[in-house]
Amino acid sequence: MAKIKACRSCGHQELHPVLDLGETPLADRLLRREQLEQPEPKFPLEVVFCSHCGLMQILETVPPFLLFCDEYPYYSSFSQELLEHSRTNARELIKERRLGARSMVVEIASNDGYLLKNYVNAGIPVLGIDPAEGPAREAEKAWVPTINQFFTYELAEELVGNNQMADVIHANNVLAHVADTNGFVKGLGRLLKNDGVAVIEAPYVRDLIEHCEFDTIYHEHLCYFSVTSANHLFRQHGLFLNRVKWMPIHGGSMRYYVEKRERVDDSVRSMLAEEVALGVNTLEYYRDFSQRVETIREQLRAMLDELKGQGKRIAAYGAAAKGSTLLNYIGIGHDTVEFVVDRNVHKQNKYMPGQHIPILKPEKILEQMPDYVLLLPWNFANEILSQQEAYRRLGGKFIIPIPTPSIV
């Protein structure tokens, strides 16, 4: 593990503390039964703010192969909301960019082919790049050719040498994950055709701060971008942020449209002005975040303790990475939450990091009928509440932890 001494984007050393979540296990390192008695690696999780370029980031860099290559359990296709979100995105770009059989669409962090298969179905050539073996295998089964590697500038050079430059590059929820932030963006520019576009999605720091989405912070997420900090990063590499679009997915994300030629539209100008007006690029904006996070911890802990004191049974839904941050920071263990359920078969029959709560099939909710279910991936609340309508009709209730603990 390496602790940075300078900003991951601009290199300046003036980094100000924002939040310390203590030492936590790796959020996606789900455990098998035989691993429960083994020492579990934990790493500091400290958040800082760069006063020069406005980037919020964590100090620690866990080796990427530990995060993404060792039985990585996240498979995008298990979320219907994410599938529809991706389908709409692909259709819009096919129309806008007039993509066809002579085009090339590349996705970095292509996972199980959830997005690129929309282009495959339209007869458009694609290439996926992803270091996680399991999801990459599933992508190949969906007729999405996939390079099972991390994306680097060197790989971009190799692809260019093979005449595989991209009309469209998708990079959803990966820019924030890469240890070499500048090398990644430099690689984007190398791989992109002169008239191409990189379409990048990342959690938006305003939503994270204003809605107190602290559970979005874990070791995979190294950076938390504002439009200002993203714009600064791209321009360092001769790329231009020409359009932005706020998306509600994942608790609030920003979609960045990045090109080699400058034609900045009003969406970017207005968001940059909003961030200046709100002070998003100043330390003051982040000063009370830590205290608000502590308030949520106290409120949720008190709510759960009261319910347990009444003899209520509590389970949890969704073995999400954000759930691991929440459970470990608040200290919610097996004595409080009996089990977690998840639709992802690759997570079932394993255990949550740190707290070692067993992960079961969603059917267990109706079979066991706990009084309350703590909704860990609250960002997919509408989808999950709809799926669990039968449980709710029988009197079951959900606990939504963010932005303020509430019962529905």
Side-chain angles (χ1 to χ4, degrees), residues 338-357:
E338 296 180 18
F339 58 88
V340 179
V341 301
D342 200 289
R343 293 179 68 200
N344 185 340
V345 296
H346 305 282
K347 296 183 178 184
Q348 293 167 7
N349 301 315
K350 293 184 178 179
Y351 295 81
M352 293 295 290
Q355 300 299 334
H356 298 177
I357 303 170

Side-chain angles (χ1 to χ4, degrees), residues 39-67:
E40 189 172 1
K42 295 184 179 181
F43 302 91
L45 195 50
E46 301 170 81
V47 184
V48 296
F49 173 75
C50 174
S51 57
H52 181 259
C53 71
L55 178 63
M56 194 175 90
Q57 56 206 282
I58 66 172
L59 287 176
E60 290 71 29
T61 304
V62 177
F65 71 89
L66 289 179
L67 295 170

Side-chain angles (χ1 to χ4, degrees), residues 29-326:
R29 189 179 182 272
L30 306 181
L31 305 176
R32 298 185 300 275
R33 180 181 291 274
E34 61 270 22
Q35 294 176 302
L36 295 179
E37 302 304 319
Q38 299 173 9
E40 189 172 1
K42 295 184 179 181
F43 302 91
L45 195 50
E46 301 170 81
V47 184
V48 296
F49 173 75
C50 174
S51 57
H52 181 259
C53 71
L55 178 63
M56 194 175 90
Q57 56 206 282
I58 66 172
L59 287 176
E60 290 71 29
T61 304
V62 177
F65 71 89
L66 289 179
L67 295 170
F68 302 109
C69 296
D70 184 15
E71 298 184 48
Y72 188 60
Y74 183 74
Y75 289 70
S76 300
S77 292
F78 282 96
S79 169
Q80 291 302 314
E81 183 177 336
L82 183 58
L83 288 176
E84 183 55 36
H85 172 84
S86 305
R87 188 178 301 115
T88 300
N89 189 12
R91 287 174 178 169
E92 288 175 353
L93 284 164
I94 290 171
K95 183 177 179 180
E96 286 178 10
R97 312 296 296 196
R98 299 180 180 177
L99 303 177
R102 300 182 67 179
S103 306
M104 170 60 75
V105 178
V106 175
E107 184 179 13
I108 302 167
S110 49
N111 200 260
D112 58 9
Y114 73 106
L115 186 154
L116 288 182
K117 63 186 179 183
N118 294 291
Y119 293 101
V120 172
N121 293 338
I124 298 167
V126 304
L127 177 66
I129 302 170
D130 199 292
E133 291 183 11
R137 282 196 301 269
E138 290 301 312
E140 291 279 359
K141 292 178 185 177
W143 303 103
V144 175
T146 304
I147 297 175
N148 187 205
Q149 296 180 30
F150 286 101
F151 177 74
T152 61
Y153 180 78
E154 291 72 25
L155 178 56
E157 282 278 20
E158 183 181 328
L159 293 172
V160 172
N162 293 332
N163 198 30
Q164 290 182 287
M165 295 186 77
D167 296 274
V168 173
I169 299 176
H170 283 283
N172 292 345
N173 299 297
V174 60
L175 178 62
H177 294 60
V178 292
D180 183 7
T181 307
N182 284 288
F184 183 90
V185 176
K186 183 181 177 184
L188 285 179
R190 185 70 183 99
L191 186 57
L192 197 63
K193 291 181 180 178
N194 286 336
D195 60 350
V197 62
V199 183
I200 301 164
E201 291 184 20
Y204 187 34
V205 76
R206 267 182 67 185
D207 292 294
L208 190 156
I209 296 297
E210 292 177 9
H211 303 147
C212 216
E213 298 169 359
F214 73 92
D215 54 345
T216 304
I217 298 167
Y218 42 92
H219 296 100
E220 290 173 23
H221 287 174
L222 301 170
C223 299
Y224 304 84
F225 289 97
S226 61
V227 175
T228 302
S229 60
N231 186 51
H232 190 284
L233 172 62
F234 297 133
R235 284 181 175 265
Q236 288 179 165
H237 299 280
L239 297 172
F240 300 97
L241 177 56
N242 288 333
R243 179 158 58 115
V244 296
K245 184 178 182 180
W246 181 85
M247 315 292 293
I249 198 162
H250 297 309
S253 299
M254 194 65 72
R255 180 180 288 166
Y256 303 99
Y257 296 82
V258 179
E259 297 173 290
K260 288 185 171 181
R261 45 185 183 157
E262 185 172 12
R263 46 176 185 172
V264 179
D265 75 5
D266 287 342
S267 65
V268 177
R269 286 189 284 267
S270 64
M271 289 301 298
L272 290 173
E274 275 188 36
E275 290 184 355
V276 169
L278 290 168
V280 172
N281 308 306
T282 67
L283 181 60
E284 190 63 32
Y285 183 77
Y286 303 85
R287 284 198 189 278
D288 70 341
F289 182 54
S290 180
Q291 182 54 55
R292 291 190 291 121
V293 170
E294 177 62 26
T295 298
I296 289 178
R297 174 158 69 173
E298 293 171 356
Q299 291 174 341
L300 184 57
R301 185 72 264 178
M303 176 186 288
L304 295 174
D305 287 346
E306 181 179 355
L307 293 175
K308 291 299 288 186
Q310 296 170 0
K312 304 298 184 182
R313 296 177 58 220
I314 303 171
Y317 191 107
K322 60 168 63 264
S324 176
T325 293
L326 186 137

